[in-house]
Amino acid sequence: MVSAVVLAAGKGTRMKSDIPKVLHKLGSKALIEHVLEKVVPFSDEIIVVVGYKGELVEEFLKEKYPEIKTVLQKIQAGTAHAVKCAFPLISQEKVLILPGDMPFIKKESIKKLLDVLERENVAGALLAAEIDDPQGYGRVIEHNGYAVRIVEESDATNEERSIKTVNTGVYCFRKPILAKALEGIKPDNKKGEYYLTDAIKILYDLGYKVKTVKVSWREGMGVNDRRQLSEAYKRKCYDKALKLMESGVTVLCPEYTFVEDTVSVGKDTVIYPFVFIEGDTKIGSCCEIKPFSVIRDSLIDDNVIINEHCVIERAVIEKEVSVGPFARIRPDTRLKRRSRVGNFVEVKKSVIGENSKANHLAYIGDAKVGKNVNIGAGTITCNYDGVKKHETVIEDEVFIGSDTQLVAPVKVGRGALIGAGSTVTRDVPEDSLVITRAPMKILEGRGIKNYKKRKYGIED
Ligand code: UD1
Ligand code: CA
């Protein structure tokens, strides 16, 4: 049975931020979420140590992970001090400790670490990584696969600094042994902090074994400053693009394609550069996602074309639909099969029926649009009366001429024809023609010539 302690009290000084470091977003998730989602499957309880602006971290966790306990570390006196603050809450026999700032840690590595503690005769285990540029990390001094001590960058000799085996900050210990180690830790280092890393030497000197388990350097990466945050983001997106390519998706330029882990994409879909696909999004096969489009929390079926510069959020797009360029599809919209939403069209909380088209410059909000409907350029559903939103219903086979306002609540019956420039304020019966435009006047001789004469007195 495992208690996980996630350290998240630090200010993140190197971020130079007013927001606690672990709440900084990497994609659509905060840094700490990337860690927590890996820890959850192995933990019988999770304790997060909060400190700097702890109330913000607590509030965030309460909403997303209500079962997690938090404990306040009033002063940030170091990683060992943080674990000490959590210690009274720890109820399980095995303790897993992780920093809240390592978004690449894998579930498999946590499992491996816990397995070592379970199966081998050791007091603890720690995850270490070999890094070409170990700067900033604690260096692990080993003997026969066991850790002897960890020395932090600021306290290391030149020789120690050349060691490339670094501490990832992930450990597991048996609880009574951790207690013993914590007792012995003193703030005798350059920063005057209680370093959890000192636990290793204390245990070694007491004759306990702490095994080092190696993971890839990518997993060990901590995010301490904005540069590392950017690297982490780029790496996450690049890794995802590679995975997509391996599964049969064309990603034309993986360096400039930004798809989150949570997204799935079907075979033979082509993703162009400068596309962002985020959150809980599923895209089918044989789609084309053109440059500069953003898709968030949406379902897109097969053979869909999303043209350049579209923003799509919490929408469902059925097979063979074409969207954009420059379209905005807002939450709770469904574009049914073979429908078309073209340039500069905004659709909100609406259904566009099969084979219907709104090709240019329209606002469709709170509307139900049937099959084979043609919505002309400049059509607006006037859904808001300043107090409430109202619904517009457009039945099958309707033709709506350009520059029409549909003042909701209103219904346009099946097969009706609305003349261009109409303002529709009442329900329209099936199969009828509606024109509300003002009658056209012709005043002969009142053109430009007449105008110039009146304005400048010129006669030609
Ligand atoms: C730490 C390790 C280092 C390791 C690196 C891996 C120590 C002394 N050093 O260094 O060996 O290579 O992680 O990324 O442990 N925190 C608290 N309370 C505090 C101080 C820190 O909760 O008083 C939290 C931070 O919020 C952070 C984590 O502990 O999530 C690690 O702290 P950080 O300052 O990032 O440590 P590093 O310098 O990266
Ligand atoms: Ca760190």
Side-chain angles (χ1 to χ4, degrees):
M1 301 289 267
V2 177
S3 293
V5 178
V6 178
L7 308 183
K11 178 167 190 250
T13 314
R14 291 162 278 182
M15 292 296 278
K16 305 215 166 58
S17 173
D18 291 335
I19 303 162
K21 177 171 73 179
V22 294
L23 292 190
H24 278 263
K25 289 274 173 72
L26 176 60
S28 50
K29 281 185 222 145
L31 279 174
I32 194 166
E33 284 183 272
H34 288 280
V35 177
L36 290 172
E37 65 187 19
K38 316 296 171 32
V39 172
V40 165
F42 305 104
S43 311
D44 299 284
E45 75 177 350
I46 299 178
I47 303 157
V48 176
V49 185
V50 302
Y52 175 71
K53 297 211 174 159
E55 64 289 352
L56 293 182
V57 182
E58 274 178 350
E59 208 176 291
F60 177 83
L61 292 173
K62 211 176 274 168
E63 200 177 296
K64 296 224 165 178
Y65 292 91
E67 69 287 358
I68 284 180
K69 295 174 196 156
T70 56
V71 63
L72 182 67
Q73 182 194 21
K74 282 197 190 118
I75 43 153
Q76 281 70 66
T79 42
H81 181 257
V83 175
K84 255 191 186 169
C85 292
F87 204 84
L89 268 73
I90 296 174
S91 65
Q92 305 296 322
E93 169 60 22
K94 284 182 233 148
V95 187
L96 171 69
I97 301 168
L98 308 95
D101 66 351
M102 51 176 325
F104 290 97
I105 179 74
K106 285 189 179 155
K107 284 185 197 149
E108 298 79 55
S109 305
I110 295 177
K111 180 164 191 314
K112 229 175 172 180
L113 195 72
L114 290 168
D115 282 351
V116 166
L117 190 66
E118 174 75 36
R119 295 193 193 136
E120 298 185 25
N121 184 24
V122 291
L126 81 93
L127 286 185
E130 306 285 337
I131 295 191
D132 275 344
D133 176 15
Q135 208 197 335
Y137 292 94
R139 314 295 205 277
V140 183
I141 290 134
E142 287 177 287
H143 184 66
N144 289 339
Y146 296 101
V148 175
R149 67 192 173 91
I150 297 173
V151 58
E152 290 304 295
E153 169 101 16
S154 48
D155 301 304
T157 61
N158 279 342
E159 197 184 324
E160 285 165 340
R161 278 187 194 165
S162 66
I163 296 172
K164 292 193 165 150
T165 307
V166 303
N167 171 29
T168 64
V170 181
Y171 325 78
C172 64
F173 298 104
R174 294 186 191 283
K175 188 180 166 192
I177 291 169
L178 175 64
K180 252 185 221 173
L182 289 175
E183 260 169 45
I185 296 175
K186 296 188 188 70
D188 51 1
N189 50 62
K190 288 242 169 73
K191 289 195 182 156
E193 288 186 1
Y194 292 86
Y195 282 169
L196 185 57
T197 44
D198 288 350
I200 307 301
K201 180 170 184 335
I202 291 170
L203 294 178
Y204 186 80
D205 289 346
L206 290 172
Y208 291 109
K209 283 179 181 168
V210 176
K211 185 156 181 174
T212 52
V213 175
K214 299 281 166 65
V215 292
S216 76
W217 62 272
R218 299 169 145 260
E219 270 187 74
M221 181 188 177
V223 173
N224 298 305
D225 55 30
R226 310 264 180 174
R227 221 165 117 173
Q228 286 170 331
L229 185 64
S230 149
E231 305 245 299
Y233 180 69
K234 280 190 279 184
R235 182 176 304 159
K236 265 213 173 296
C237 295
Y238 190 75
D239 287 353
K240 177 67 179 181
L242 292 183
K243 264 196 223 156
L244 290 175
M245 289 191 275
E246 277 161 20
S247 70
V249 176
T250 297
V251 180
L252 289 168
C253 185
E255 291 82 359
Y256 294 102
T257 303
F258 309 94
V259 182
E260 282 185 0
D261 281 353
T262 43
V263 172
S264 72
V265 184
K267 255 206 282 196
D268 292 321
T269 284
V270 180
I271 304 176
Y272 286 78
F274 304 106
V275 160
F276 294 77
I277 311 177
E278 300 171 354
D280 187 12
T281 296
K282 284 194 175 61
I283 295 181
S285 54
C286 301
C287 295
E288 278 185 78
I289 318 289
K290 299 279 183 72
F292 305 107
S293 286
V294 180
I295 303 170
R296 201 170 285 138
D297 300 321
S298 294
L299 281 177
I300 294 183
D301 210 331
D302 304 339
N303 294 299
V304 166
I305 299 181
I306 308 295
N307 286 299
E308 292 82 351
H309 294 278
C310 292
V311 179
I312 298 171
E313 205 169 349
R314 282 210 281 120
V316 177
I317 298 182
E318 296 186 359
K319 288 188 172 74
E320 296 158 61
V321 168
S322 155
V323 180
F326 295 100
R328 177 156 183 225
I329 312 297
R330 291 172 52 195
D332 302 321
T333 291
R334 176 181 278 267
L335 305 182
K336 292 197 165 179
R337 226 172 150 151
R338 283 192 300 278
S339 59
R340 272 195 61 106
V341 171
N343 352 223
F344 304 104
V345 175
E346 175 179 347
V347 186
K348 185 214 86 174
K349 207 177 175 186
S350 295
V351 178
I352 307 285
E354 263 185 56
N355 221 21
S356 290
K357 298 181 187 77
N359 273 337
H360 336 263
L361 298 153
Y363 172 66
I364 301 165
D366 304 294
K368 287 202 177 84
V369 178
K371 284 188 222 165
N372 302 321
V373 169
N374 197 323
I375 295 179
T379 296
I380 294 172
T381 55
C382 308
N383 58 332
Y384 187 46
D385 60 11
V387 182
K388 271 193 189 158
K389 302 278 167 67
H390 300 281
E391 190 182 62
T392 301
V393 177
I394 301 171
E395 292 187 340
D396 300 347
E397 319 284 338
V398 163
F399 183 96
I400 302 206
S402 297
D403 194 25
T404 292
Q405 296 96 52
L406 298 156
V407 182
V410 72
K411 180 170 150 187
V412 181
R414 186 188 168 94
L417 212 102
I418 312 288
S422 296
T423 302
V424 179
T425 51
R426 279 182 286 133
D427 286 357
V428 176
E430 276 187 17
D431 205 26
S432 47
L433 168 67
V434 169
I435 309 177
T436 73
R437 66 180 81 129
M440 179 168 146
K441 279 191 218 164
I442 298 181
L443 305 177
E444 284 192 27
R446 287 286 296 274
I448 281 292
K449 265 194 205 163
N450 174 276
Y451 168 79
K452 282 185 181 166
K453 188 177 163 197
R454 283 190 293 129
K455 185 150 185 187
Y456 309 112
I458 306 169
E459 192 126 27
D460 50 21

